[in-house]
């Protein structure tokens, strides 16, 4: 079987789908990953073949142009949707050409990679949506969302495809059911496998910490998109230290310049370090509210404090907090006093719910079985002769 994965330019979106691509290769299938040129290094570091498609897109710059309207909810003219459409639609022609030439049996795409769905329908093979957060498109009422959004049906029509209802034959969801909206029959919960990029495990991480440890991470791109004022790590470190916790901080490239005084005595500062390697022997996790970080912490049963700023971070963080496994404190209200109170609550009130959420995630469908789902789709819809 040939499986084409189509991903957006966000690193974390690819991180969420990479384990399924590995599972397909491990089962003997041929895999290609397609996305903007800016994503090449991330995919190649994961050991997968990459096909650049479309123009170079700086998604952080796109986000900078749209973030204020997104946060305020004031977009009467549709400028936010139009801006994101330019980015998500741009690679479609190249993706269609790739699918026509390579003839995959299945196309797996994230919700921001519209070209993958167009290419699947254009070439007559099943499209599979791989979620990266709280579901909208695969929930009741969402199956017609793309059809009614301005520009989407027209974009499909440019390539001779009629958009009618949900273009995905199957939606794969790594979120636990208790975090998600009610699903359509085509949505399948799958086991989340953490991947946060490559990393070398230092010797000090092999031994249990001398005292209670907290991990702090702030994502790879949020601060570049939303501004330095959203970087709350100094405030978080002050609160953790006051509560007697030793912090281990992992930041994206260059973010250490927002932390000129480093970390307190007893803490450690790492760059681009895979957060899942830090979570054993960790008492709690504090972060910006990204979905991949939430799922990684949840799989390890670590109570989390989410400090979201961007709209999708708020949505995912609130869904996580609703399970009782952790807390959501919007960035605007994250004073040192509020942070200290939340940390105390995490250490005493949320460990049971965090353990239950971990058990729920571990009970989800393993990726080896998900590969068999894709195989069954391919058998039902053999690739037509081009």
């Amino acid at each position: 079987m040939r499986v084409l994965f189509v991903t957006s330019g966000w690193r974390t979106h690819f991180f969420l789908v990479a384990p399924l691509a590995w599972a397909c290769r491990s089962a003997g299938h041929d895999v290609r990953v397609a996305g903007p040129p800016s994503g090449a290094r991330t995919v190649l570091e994961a050991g997968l073949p990459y096909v650049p498609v479309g123009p170079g897109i700086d998604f952080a710059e796109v986000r900078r142009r749209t973030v204020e309207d997104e946060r305020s909810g004031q977009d009467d003219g549709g400028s936010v949707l139009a801006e994101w459409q330019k980015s998500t639609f741009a690679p479609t022609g190249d993706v269609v050409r790739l699918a026509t030439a390579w003839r995959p049996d299945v196309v797996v795409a994230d919700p921001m990679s519209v070209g993958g769905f167009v290419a699947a329908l254009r070439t007559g093979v099943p499209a599979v949506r791989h979620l990266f957060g709280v579901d909208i498109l695969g929930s009741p009422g969402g199956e017609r969302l793309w059809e009614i959004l301005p520009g989407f049906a027209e974009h499909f029509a440019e390539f001779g495809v009629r958009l009618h209802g949900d273009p995905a034959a199957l939606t794969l969801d790594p979120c636990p059911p208790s975090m998600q909206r009610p699903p359509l029959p085509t949505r399948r919960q799958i086991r989340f496998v953490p991947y946060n990029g490559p990393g070398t495990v230092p010797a000090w991480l092999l031994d249990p910490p001398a005292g209670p440890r907290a991990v702090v991470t702030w994502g790879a791109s949020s601060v570049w998109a939303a501004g330095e004022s959203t970087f709350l790590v100094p405030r978080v470190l002050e609160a953790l230290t006051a509560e007697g916790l030793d912090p281990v901080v992992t930041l994206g490239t260059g973010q250490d310049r927002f932390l000129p005084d480093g970390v307190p005595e007893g803490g450690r500062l790492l760059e681009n370090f895979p957060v899942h390697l830090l979570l054993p022997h960790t008492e709690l996790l504090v972060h910006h509210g990204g979905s991949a970080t939430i799922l990684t912490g949840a799989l390890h049963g670590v109570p989390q404090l989410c400090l979201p700023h961007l709209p999708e971070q708020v949505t995912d963080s609130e869904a996580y907090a609703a399970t009782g496994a952790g807390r959501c404190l919007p960035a605007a209200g994250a004073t040192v006093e509020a942070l200290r109170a939340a940390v105390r609550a995490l250490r005493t009130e949320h460990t049971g719910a965090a353990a239950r959420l971990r058990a729920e995630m571990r009970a989800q469908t393993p990726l080896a079985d998900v590969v068999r789902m894709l195989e069954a789709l391919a058998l039902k819809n053999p690739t037509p002769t081009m």
Side-chain angles (χ1 to χ4, degrees):
M1 182 172 68
R2 289 180 174 180
V3 187
L4 175 60
F5 288 83
V6 186
T7 183
S8 69
W10 290 101
R11 295 174 71 237
T12 50
H13 291 177
F14 169 72
F15 288 166
L16 284 159
V17 77
L20 180 57
W22 294 334
C24 288
R25 291 198 72 180
S26 297
H29 300 304
D30 198 358
V31 168
R32 298 286 186 277
V33 181
S38 59
R41 179 178 177 180
T42 299
V43 176
L44 294 176
E45 285 178 342
L48 293 164
Y50 195 61
V51 183
V53 291
I57 299 172
D58 183 344
F59 281 92
E61 176 57 34
V62 175
R63 199 62 188 267
R64 279 191 286 271
R65 293 196 296 266
T66 64
V67 66
E68 290 308 316
D69 284 341
E70 290 181 57
R71 292 184 66 244
S72 67
Q74 297 176 355
D75 185 32
D76 296 336
S79 61
V80 171
L81 178 62
E83 190 72 48
W84 280 108
Q85 281 181 344
K86 284 192 294 185
S87 302
T88 56
F89 289 174
T92 301
D94 285 352
V95 178
V96 170
R97 283 189 288 275
L98 169 60
T100 301
W102 191 55
R103 298 177 57 203
D105 299 286
V106 178
V107 177
V108 181
D110 67 48
M112 281 184 60
S113 300
V114 179
F117 300 96
V118 175
L121 296 180
R122 179 70 179 83
T123 56
V125 302
V128 176
R129 178 186 296 109
H130 194 294
L131 297 177
F132 45 67
V134 173
D135 192 11
I136 297 175
L137 297 172
S139 299
E143 73 274 15
R144 300 186 68 86
L145 184 58
W146 275 4
E147 188 179 341
I148 63 176
L149 281 173
F152 276 77
E154 294 84 352
H155 184 67
F156 278 70
E158 289 176 22
F159 296 89
V161 176
R162 182 174 176 235
L163 179 59
H164 180 69
D166 191 348
L170 177 66
T171 293
L172 302 176
D173 182 7
C175 291
S178 59
M179 272 185 62
Q180 274 293 20
R181 303 180 180 194
L184 287 170
T186 54
R187 194 173 84 198
R188 297 287 184 272
Q189 309 293 145
I190 67 174
R191 186 174 300 171
F192 172 74
V193 176
Y195 173 64
N196 316 116
T200 301
V201 179
W204 60 264
L205 199 54
L206 301 178
D207 300 318
R213 173 186 291 164
V215 169
V216 182
T217 184
W218 213 250
S221 57
S222 293
V223 69
W224 305 123
E228 184 178 346
S229 64
T230 66
F231 187 77
L232 303 183
V233 175
R235 213 177 300 171
V236 169
L237 295 179
E238 182 179 346
L240 292 173
T241 302
E243 293 300 318
L245 288 144
D246 294 331
V248 176
V249 184
T250 176
L251 301 176
T253 302
Q255 288 186 355
D256 58 338
R257 71 182 177 89
F258 302 127
L259 203 62
D261 297 327
V263 297
E265 184 178 354
R268 295 181 184 272
L269 179 61
L270 304 168
E271 182 176 288
N272 287 331
F273 193 82
V275 70
H276 70 274
L277 297 177
L278 297 171
L279 294 182
H281 309 301
T282 294
E283 193 164 319
L284 58 91
L285 173 63
V286 186
H287 58 88
H288 59 298
S291 61
T293 307
I294 290 173
L295 294 176
T296 300
L299 185 71
H300 286 81
V302 177
Q304 303 172 55
L305 176 57
C306 306
L307 306 172
H309 176 81
L310 299 173
E312 72 278 7
Q313 294 170 352
V314 173
T315 298
D316 292 330
S317 298
E318 289 178 344
Y320 166 72
T323 70
R327 295 206 165 197
C328 171
L329 177 60
T335 63
V336 173
E337 292 75 16
L339 288 166
R340 291 188 64 178
V343 167
R344 288 193 294 270
L346 283 175
R347 300 181 73 181
T348 58
E349 301 173 18
H350 297 275
T351 54
R356 289 192 294 274
L357 188 62
R358 175 181 58 190
E360 181 182 332
M361 294 183 72
R362 290 182 174 180
Q364 292 182 178
T365 304
L367 295 187
D369 291 345
V370 178
V371 174
R372 286 189 277 272
M373 290 183 196
L374 301 184
E375 292 169 349
L377 275 179
L379 287 173
K380 290 180 182 177
N381 299 272
T383 304
T385 302
M386 303 300 289

